[in-house]
């Protein structure tokens, strides 16, 4: 019958499937780990004794035992020891707020023992009516429009009664939050086991809304004269006969006024050393969504702690750091800004789009493969002409649309893939610059290219079981990449060529200052606590903007071929070194520092050569493809 035939057929196919899967995943090509014989000494490289780990049922540890012949156990569980004495363990741990792991190494009659005390991050040791003071949200200064509800939340003992005593004697009751606790970012980003992404309800989160019901009789609000509260509200947690009281450091001001006109500037004293961009988020702790250039004019209508809410247009808001927001010097004109006729000009390979405005309004740019869409908030169009310029062909078509009553979209289509773009405020206008692909000789694609190589870290960086850390490994790979690129005719600028710390922003500033044509940031990976390193390691390459994706794919393909470890694929990531828009920029995570064989490979010339060649071959392939990229028919 059909079912049996299917089963038989499937069983017959299985060896073939296995064989082909085996062909796609070759045995590791990394250099062999050298054998080490020496004193039996247990060293734990991670985690440090007494530290708090953020894990579920199991966690990883790594270090060395000093001898490849050692038999090694942690909490009674057997752990493999690499030829160089390094070990990586994935260990089941007790469901307790703190615990001690016993580590035992044996070699014949010789033995060594160690104990490792650990605790769990986010687990509160206390019993009874506990409350986590760090979880009070929001706290600090809040100002908000009259009638705007304010959500309050706190972590406290499950099953307790939670309420807030307001200075005027009113009581705000909290309810247990019935929504599931979010899965940690680390698990979301790294764990390929879907079962670990199931969320659970902890019952320790309590929520309440401070709304209009508490107005106008004071409550948490100051009096109508606008004075501050004389004392903070008091949070009370009751569980059985146990009661805990803590003050909630919060002041709330309500405003009936219209939004305040503000100017965005991350460097008001002109000290330099900033990126001249204000980051906007969809909610106060959200991801980066808007990149608003210095000089943008807009309005603010709410503040929670150090976050200010901008009203970009009637239906769009963004949260930004209060440090970047300044009261606009001139009195506010409540009408939208007026956009005049856009004009294109070209000069030394750069195409410039000037968007005339009566005020530099907030904007965003969304990219596609061969075009981009500019959104202007708080603006109305009075555009009539569009001048395409005499000498430019790169921009094929510009159209604009009054998308809503105070929002305009401008669509820009290019005749080749966009290499890069940037924007600045000039007077009250927005000026965009577009970069076409450079002239590339397909026979010598690296000749004349200006490439920035960024060896990741320090500060920071992951380390391996035997103590090799990213700053050293990444620099060794970076130097090997540089030498190969120079051999093939490229000009290479290194963001660092020594052990000294370089922060992220100066690395990007250097790439901008040398007018980079391409940037590769070199890293080696690590996992967050609680993710299985044996099933989740491999090679990955990150990019941010669509124009960088072809470079990311080309380099990822060559890295996977050269390193022979699992292919984790390319990924979009909002990382400082891949965020620049003026040139294709990628970040490679070639190997995982915590895996003994991968750490060991990074100590050898062959391992470094494999990593470096992968990057150079990938860049070469990308440039060859770019040289062949056709001009689209009109
Ligand atoms: Zn790194």
């Amino acid at each position: 019958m059909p079912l049996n035939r299917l089963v038989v057929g499937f069983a017959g196919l299985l060896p073939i499937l296995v064989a082909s899967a085996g062909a796609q995943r070759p045995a590791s090509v990394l250099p062999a780990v050298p054998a080490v014989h020496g004193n039996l000494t247990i060293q734990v490289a991670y985690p440090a004794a007494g530290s708090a780990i953020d894990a579920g049922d199991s966690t990883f540890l790594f270090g060395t035992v000093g001898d490849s012949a050692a038999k090694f156990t942690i909490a009674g569980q057997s752990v493999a020891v690499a030829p160089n004495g390094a070990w990586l363990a994935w260990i089941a741990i007790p469901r307790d707020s703190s615990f001690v792991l016993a580590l035992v190494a044996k070699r014949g009659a010789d033995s060594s023992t160690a104990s490792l005390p650990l605790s769990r991050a986010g687990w509160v040791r206390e019993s009874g009516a506990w409350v986590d003071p760090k979880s009070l949200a929001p706290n600090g200064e809040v100002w908000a429009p009259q009638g705007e509800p304010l959500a309050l939340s706190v972590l406290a003992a499950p099953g307790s009664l939670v309420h807030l005593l307001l200075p005027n004697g009113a009581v705000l009751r909290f309810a247990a939050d019935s929504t599931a606790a979010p899965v940690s970012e680390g698990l979301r980003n790294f764990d390929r086991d879907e079962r670990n992404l199931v969320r659970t309800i902890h019952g320790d989160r309590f929520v309440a809304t401070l709304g209009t019901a508490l107005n106008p009789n004071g409550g948490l609000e100051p009096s109508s004269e606008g004075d501050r509260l004389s004392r903070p509200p008091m949070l009370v947690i009751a569980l059985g006969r146990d009661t805990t009281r803590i003050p909630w450091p919060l002041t709330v001001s309500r405003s009936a006024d219209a939004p305040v006109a503000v100017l965005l500037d991350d460097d008001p004293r002109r000290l330099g050393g900033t990126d001249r961009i204000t980051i906007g988020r969809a909610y106060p702790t959200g991801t980066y969504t808007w990149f608003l250039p210095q000089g943008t004019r807009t309005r603010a209508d709410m503040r929670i702690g150090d976050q200010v809410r901008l009203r970009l247009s009637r239906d769009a808001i963004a949260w930004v750091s209060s440090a970047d927001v300044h009261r606009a010097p001139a009195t506010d004109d409540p009408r939208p800004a007026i956009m005049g006729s856009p004009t294109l000009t070209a000069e030394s390979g750069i195409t410039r789009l000037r968007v005339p405005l009566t005020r530099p309004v907030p904007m965003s740019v969304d990219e596609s493969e061969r075009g981009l869409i500019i959104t202007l908030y708080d603006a109305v169009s009075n555009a009539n002409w569009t001048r395409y310029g005499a000498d430019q062909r790169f921009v094929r078509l510009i159209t604009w649309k009054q998308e809503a009553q105070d929002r305009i979209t401008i669509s820009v289509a290019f005749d080749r893939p966009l290499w890069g773009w940037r924007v600045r405020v000039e007077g009250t206008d927005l000026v965009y610059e577009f970069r076409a692909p450079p002239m590339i000789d397909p026979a010598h694609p690296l000749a004349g290219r200006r490439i920035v190589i960024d060896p990741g870290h320090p500060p920071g960086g992951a380390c391996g079981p035997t103590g090799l850390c990213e700053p050293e490994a990444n620099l060794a790979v970076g130097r090997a990449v540089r030498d190969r690129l120079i051999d093939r005719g490229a000009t290479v600028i290194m963001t660092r060529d020594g052990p000294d710390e370089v922060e992220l922003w100066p690395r990007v500033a250097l790439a901008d200052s040398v007018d980079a044509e391409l940037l590769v940031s070199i890293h080696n990976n690590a996992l967050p606590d609680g993710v299985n390193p044996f099933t989740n390691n491999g090679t990955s390459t990150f990019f941010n903007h669509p124009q960088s994706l072809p470079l990311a794919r080309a380099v990822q393909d060559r890295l996977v071929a050269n390193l022979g470890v699992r292919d984790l694929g390319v990924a979009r990531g909002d990382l400082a070194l891949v965020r620049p828009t003026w040139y294709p920029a990628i970040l490679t995570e070639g190997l995982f520092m915590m895996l003994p064989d991968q750490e060991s490979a990074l100590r050898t010339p062959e391992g470094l050569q494999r990593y470096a060649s992968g990057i150079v071959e990938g860049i070469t392939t990308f440039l060859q493809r770019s040289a062949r990229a056709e001009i689209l028919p009109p």
Side-chain angles (χ1 to χ4, degrees):
M1 59 194 253
L3 187 64
N4 273 339
R5 285 169 63 99
L6 189 65
V7 170
V8 169
F10 187 67
L13 261 177
L14 213 54
I16 302 167
L17 287 172
V18 170
S20 69
Q24 284 167 354
R25 204 182 290 172
S28 176
V29 295
L30 296 178
V33 180
V36 169
H37 297 287
N39 287 337
L40 208 57
T41 314
I42 298 174
Q43 287 190 330
V44 180
Y46 184 90
S51 61
I53 54 167
D54 189 5
D57 297 336
S58 302
T59 197
F60 59 77
L61 300 84
F62 53 84
T64 57
V65 289
D67 192 308
S68 62
K71 296 274 175 280
F72 185 50
T73 61
I74 298 177
Q77 300 162 67
S78 176
V79 175
V81 175
N84 62 353
W87 50 267
L88 170 66
W90 176 242
I91 295 293
I93 51 174
R95 291 197 71 76
D96 203 349
S97 58
S98 62
F99 50 90
V100 179
L101 297 175
L103 292 76
V104 179
K106 286 184 178 158
R107 183 188 50 196
D110 200 4
S111 73
S112 171
T113 60
S115 58
L116 183 69
L118 295 171
S119 63
R120 284 174 181 272
W123 279 47
V124 178
R125 281 160 170 270
E126 284 87 340
S127 55
W130 61 264
V131 55
D132 180 358
K134 293 193 297 294
S135 71
L136 302 174
N139 60 50
E141 188 187 344
V142 171
W143 56 265
Q146 201 75 256
E148 172 108 19
L150 187 65
L152 306 179
S153 71
V154 60
L155 294 182
S160 52
L161 292 172
V162 178
H163 51 267
L164 190 65
L165 300 179
L166 300 168
N168 68 347
V171 176
L172 180 67
R173 294 191 189 288
F174 282 62
D177 186 3
S178 59
T179 55
V183 170
S184 81
E185 272 289 286
L187 274 178
R188 273 230 177 279
N189 289 338
F190 284 100
D191 206 320
R192 287 143 43 100
D193 186 345
E194 298 276 327
R195 287 166 303 179
N196 293 335
L197 302 181
V198 176
R199 306 187 300 167
T200 50
I201 297 171
H202 291 328
D204 60 356
R205 187 165 180 270
F206 294 83
V207 290
T209 303
L210 188 65
T212 50
L214 290 161
N215 288 328
N217 299 323
L220 207 55
E221 327 290 342
S223 69
S224 56
E225 291 82 46
D227 57 344
R228 294 283 172 234
L229 293 169
S230 53
R231 58 202 159 91
M234 185 68 70
L235 185 70
V236 181
I237 295 96
L239 184 65
R241 281 191 283 174
D242 201 9
T243 302
T244 302
R245 294 167 160 260
I246 57 165
W248 192 312
L250 177 69
T251 64
V252 179
S253 317
R254 295 290 189 178
S255 164
D257 298 340
V260 181
V262 293
L263 171 72
L264 301 185
D265 190 343
D266 67 339
D267 185 22
R269 294 165 65 197
R270 297 294 175 265
L271 299 172
T274 76
D275 59 3
R276 297 185 295 280
I277 294 286
T278 294
I279 303 295
R281 308 160 188 263
Y283 69 100
T285 55
T287 48
Y288 293 7
T289 302
W290 289 271
F291 298 88
L292 302 163
Q294 187 179 65
T296 298
R297 291 274 298 269
T298 182
R299 300 184 184 90
D301 72 347
M302 186 168 177
R303 175 179 179 146
I304 296 181
D306 64 355
Q307 295 288 304
V308 171
R309 187 173 72 182
L310 305 179
R311 191 146 285 286
L312 304 178
S313 63
R314 288 176 74 94
D315 61 356
I317 59 106
W319 288 89
V320 302
S321 165
S322 60
D324 292 4
V325 182
H326 314 277
R327 223 170 243 277
T331 51
D332 188 32
D333 180 350
R335 294 170 300 179
I338 297 168
M339 179 186 88
S341 300
T343 304
L344 286 164
T345 50
E347 199 183 307
S348 39
I350 295 171
T351 304
R352 194 164 286 126
L353 169 66
R354 177 176 290 274
V355 180
L357 289 154
T358 52
R359 179 168 73 234
V361 294
M363 66 97 217
S364 62
V365 174
D366 295 292
E367 296 171 62
S368 62
E369 224 172 338
R370 292 207 178 178
L372 42 83
I373 294 176
I374 298 164
T375 300
L376 302 179
Y377 299 92
D378 188 28
V380 287
S381 173
N382 190 34
N384 190 358
W385 314 96
T386 304
R387 301 184 64 92
Y388 279 76
D391 300 321
Q392 80 82 26
R393 291 287 182 276
F394 183 46
V395 172
R396 201 157 65 107
L397 180 67
I398 287 198
T399 56
W400 70 83
K401 187 178 177 188
Q402 187 75 46
E403 198 76 49
Q405 69 181 60
D406 60 353
R407 201 175 68 234
I408 301 168
T409 53
I410 303 172
S411 300
V412 187
F414 302 100
D415 78 341
R416 277 161 289 161
L418 177 66
W419 195 266
W421 66 271
R422 59 190 176 193
V423 62
R424 65 175 187 277
V425 171
E426 211 177 272
T428 59
D429 297 348
L430 284 168
V431 175
Y432 294 83
E433 290 181 316
F434 309 125
R435 201 181 198 186
M439 295 298 288
I440 297 165
D441 176 357
H444 305 281
L446 281 160
R449 297 281 72 82
R450 205 161 46 254
I451 298 175
V452 171
I453 295 299
D454 173 54
H457 313 282
C463 295
T466 69
L468 177 66
C469 294
E470 263 193 276
E472 190 186 333
N474 299 344
L475 180 57
V477 176
R479 285 175 171 156
V481 171
R482 173 193 59 195
D483 295 348
R484 281 166 176 73
L485 291 175
I486 289 173
D487 282 350
R488 299 183 187 193
T491 301
V492 177
I493 302 97
M494 302 275 282
T495 57
R496 73 174 172 97
D497 195 14
D500 294 343
E501 294 196 351
V502 181
E503 295 292 340
L504 297 175
W505 150 247
R507 296 173 191 243
V508 175
L510 174 70
D512 289 343
S513 73
V514 300
D515 200 25
E517 289 179 323
L518 202 144
L519 181 146
V520 179
S521 182
I522 297 164
H523 287 250
N524 285 285
N525 223 336
L527 290 168
D529 290 333
V531 180
N532 186 337
F534 294 103
T535 55
N536 293 291
N537 74 79
T539 298
S540 48
T541 302
F542 291 85
F543 71 100
N544 187 271
H545 302 282
Q547 80 235 27
S548 301
L549 178 54
L551 174 63
R553 285 200 189 283
V555 169
Q556 172 73 5
D557 286 350
R558 295 317 304 159
L559 282 176
V560 168
N562 277 16
L563 296 171
V565 297
R566 188 186 282 109
D567 183 359
L568 295 179
V570 297
R572 181 191 179 274
D574 191 14
L575 305 161
L577 268 295
V578 296
R579 210 179 291 133
T581 56
W582 191 232
Y583 36 82
I586 60 167
L587 185 149
T588 60
E589 296 277 9
L591 295 170
F592 268 78
M593 297 304 302
M594 70 176 72
L595 273 91
D597 61 330
Q598 298 187 18
E599 181 205 30
S600 173
L602 288 165
R603 289 190 185 277
T604 66
E606 190 198 336
L608 297 174
Q609 178 262 321
R610 285 184 171 277
Y611 195 156
S613 298
I615 292 175
V616 174
E617 290 164 16
I619 293 174
T620 305
T621 303
F622 165 73
L623 291 172
Q624 280 166 336
R625 288 177 185 159
S626 299
R628 287 198 303 268
E630 292 163 42
I631 294 176
L632 288 175

